[in-house]
Amino acid sequence: MKFKKLKTLLAVAIAGAAVSSASAKTLVVGNDPTQCKDAQYPTINSAVVAAQPGDTVKVCPGTYTELVVVNKPLEIVGARKGNAAAKGRQQNMDKESIVVNTGQGAFDVIASDVRIAGFTVLGNQLAASYPNAGINVRAGSNRIIESNIFWKNGLGIYVNSGLQQGLDVERNAFIDNKFVPNPNGIPSGGVFAVSTQTNDSQFSNNYFSGGDPDEFCLNIDGSDGGLIISGNQAEDDGSFLVIGGTTGARVEHNTVLRPGGSAFFAFGNNKGLVIAHNSVENGLFNGVRFILAFGSTLPNADAVIADNHVTGCAVNGMRLDSAVRATVENNQLDNNKANGILLEKADSNHLVSNRTFSNGVNGIRAETQSSNNTIEKNDMRDNVSFDADDETAGSGTALTANFWVKNHGGTQNRPGLLDH
């Protein structure tokens, strides 16, 4: 959701409260006269209490140690400008609006129709309280969180249980959000949205770096539709995306460098998940991983995995476990330590026009419990063990349980898988 739409929604909220949109005011917050000569309020909370629905709270540069409770439709705007947050670039700290999270959070968003933009949210990684998130987002609708830096929180954003409709997280930087130490494996990372339905929402053009390599940039469990994850960049962090229980989610045009976990980890019950036009380099596990995990009982079904480039991962380019009816098309998977594509307990998938080059084991491998897959028009070259490897048995091609059609490569574990 974009800013103009939020302004319209704010106007509707104001009208519903019998307040004229013409009466909306800007309230100025500052705690340093040298930085903010026109300050009306010394704390952000005091301005929020005084504000009327639809007002803007403008926060001057300074450091504010408080948990801001946002319980009415407002815009709360800090001093950070434009797109700088999207790469984590710091301004001079004396020009930042810094809200300090001492363990309970910096912002607690209760109301719908809220925009928070332009802050550095500075946390305390040692805080014992969970979730220790920079921003807590409770059930509601039409929230925009943009152009902020989340730095050294346990979680950058924690999306609480309950329906989320229209959450836009855009052009933020999430840097070093993790618990230190974390002996109990408490979830930490960029955005954690579980036990909720995050509908008609987007996470776009954000930057992630320096989190726990065992954790995540985005962890999303539940969406009935309209979820878009696009244009993000992650480097030297954990898994970029952990996702389950979604319908029609689109994950496109993201760049993931040196992830500590599988870059895209789909843990079950995703329907029609699209993973397309993404790039993964030098991950410590798989580029794309489908599996049943975290209590999921239904496989990832009807996915489209297309036009991705996965290179240099320490395990597989793609490992599709318990995937059904997926279309895996026009991907390039090269120089991964194990297989380009591994099918494991995967049924009725269509692998077409993929390129698997110079992987450390096989180009495409079907494990023994994978069946009824159509593997067609793929180009497999210079893979160490076999370009094409099928370990199944059945009535398909070369007495396998799958159908190999017009594939090209050099080596195969049984004659008939390749048309040289």
Side-chain angles (χ1 to χ4, degrees):
M1 174 167 315
K2 300 301 179 185
F3 179 47
K4 290 182 180 179
K5 188 173 181 181
L6 177 59
K7 294 291 279 187
T8 301
L9 290 163
L10 285 169
V12 171
I14 293 167
V19 179
S20 170
S21 60
S23 68
K25 304 188 300 294
T26 297
L27 292 75
V28 181
V29 177
N31 56 18
D32 182 351
T34 64
Q35 294 273 22
C36 193
K37 296 179 181 179
D38 299 325
Q40 301 164 294
Y41 301 90
T43 66
I44 305 172
N45 269 312
S46 61
V48 169
V49 170
Q52 296 297 313
D55 284 350
T56 297
V57 176
K58 179 181 177 182
V59 182
C60 291
T63 299
Y64 304 86
T65 303
E66 51 183 311
L67 171 58
V68 181
V69 179
V70 188
N71 57 5
K72 61 190 74 170
L74 295 171
E75 294 180 59
I76 306 177
V77 182
R80 172 165 286 280
K81 303 292 185 182
N83 294 328
K87 290 293 184 182
R89 292 192 291 268
Q90 295 282 346
Q91 302 175 145
N92 293 331
M93 293 303 286
D94 60 356
K95 295 183 179 180
E96 297 275 352
S97 301
I98 302 169
V99 184
V100 178
N101 164 24
T102 60
Q104 298 302 313
F107 293 90
D108 190 1
V109 180
I110 299 171
S112 296
D113 306 309
V114 170
R115 176 176 178 249
I116 297 174
F119 291 93
T120 291
V121 180
L122 177 60
N124 175 8
Q125 295 171 319
L126 297 175
S129 58
Y130 177 79
N132 187 19
I135 296 182
N136 296 293
V137 181
R138 300 180 187 271
S141 60
N142 306 322
R143 280 73 170 261
I144 294 175
I145 301 172
E146 64 175 343
S147 301
N148 305 286
I149 288 182
F150 296 87
W151 185 22
K152 294 187 176 181
N153 302 276
L155 292 165
I157 298 173
Y158 178 53
V159 184
N160 232 327
S161 59
L163 179 63
Q164 301 291 331
Q165 192 78 29
L167 174 62
D168 187 349
V169 177
E170 185 173 0
R171 298 194 305 277
N172 304 281
F174 297 83
I175 301 173
D176 293 337
N177 293 288
K178 57 190 174 185
F179 287 95
V180 180
N182 189 4
N184 298 319
I186 296 171
S188 66
V191 179
F192 194 40
V194 297
S195 301
T196 181
Q197 295 297 116
T198 307
N199 300 334
D200 297 319
S201 298
Q202 59 180 304
F203 300 83
S204 59
N205 301 308
N206 300 289
Y207 174 78
F208 301 86
S209 182
D212 189 330
D214 293 328
E215 291 293 337
F216 50 82
C217 301
L218 296 163
N219 189 327
I220 298 174
D221 180 7
S223 174
D224 288 335
L227 175 62
I228 298 173
I229 299 166
S230 68
N232 301 284
Q233 180 173 342
E235 56 186 20
D236 302 308
D237 212 313
S239 293
F240 168 65
L241 175 63
V242 179
I243 189 167
T246 66
T247 299
R250 303 188 68 88
V251 183
E252 301 174 308
H253 300 286
N254 302 285
T255 300
V256 187
L257 307 176
R258 301 175 297 278
S262 295
F264 301 95
F265 187 93
F267 62 84
N269 200 25
N270 291 293
K271 302 172 185 176
L273 174 64
V274 175
I275 300 176
H277 301 284
N278 301 288
S279 176
V280 181
E281 295 183 21
N282 300 328
L284 292 183
F285 287 89
N286 305 279
V288 176
R289 177 76 160 104
F290 278 24
I291 193 173
L292 285 178
F294 309 134
S296 293
T297 57
L298 296 175
N300 299 291
D302 302 304
V304 175
I305 308 171
D307 300 290
N308 302 287
H309 183 204
V310 181
T311 183
C313 287
V315 191
N316 303 284
M318 295 182 183
R319 182 178 177 182
L320 304 181
D321 181 348
S322 303
V324 297
R325 300 186 302 278
T327 298
V328 183
E329 182 174 13
N330 200 36
N331 300 283
Q332 180 167 327
L333 307 119
D334 59 74
N335 294 290
N336 301 290
K337 298 297 184 184
N339 303 283
I341 301 174
L342 174 64
L343 298 174
E344 184 177 359
K345 292 180 287 186
D347 300 317
S348 303
N349 301 287
H350 188 195
L351 280 60
V352 58
S353 299
N354 299 286
R355 299 171 303 284
T356 61
F357 303 149
S358 302
N359 295 286
V361 183
N362 302 293
I364 296 177
R365 175 182 170 88
E367 294 277 12
T368 55
Q369 297 183 56
S370 295
S371 64
N372 201 37
N373 299 288
T374 299
I375 303 166
E376 179 179 11
K377 298 179 182 177
N378 300 282
D379 191 5
M380 297 166 278
R381 306 283 179 182
D382 301 320
N383 299 286
V384 172
S385 294
F386 295 105
D387 294 325
D389 182 2
D390 195 324
E391 301 295 329
T392 67
S395 58
T397 303
L399 298 180
T400 70
N402 302 295
F403 303 95
W404 294 74
V405 182
K406 296 182 180 179
N407 296 286
H408 298 282
T411 58
Q412 54 195 325
N413 76 318
R414 62 180 76 183
L417 303 183
L418 296 175
D419 294 340
H420 294 283

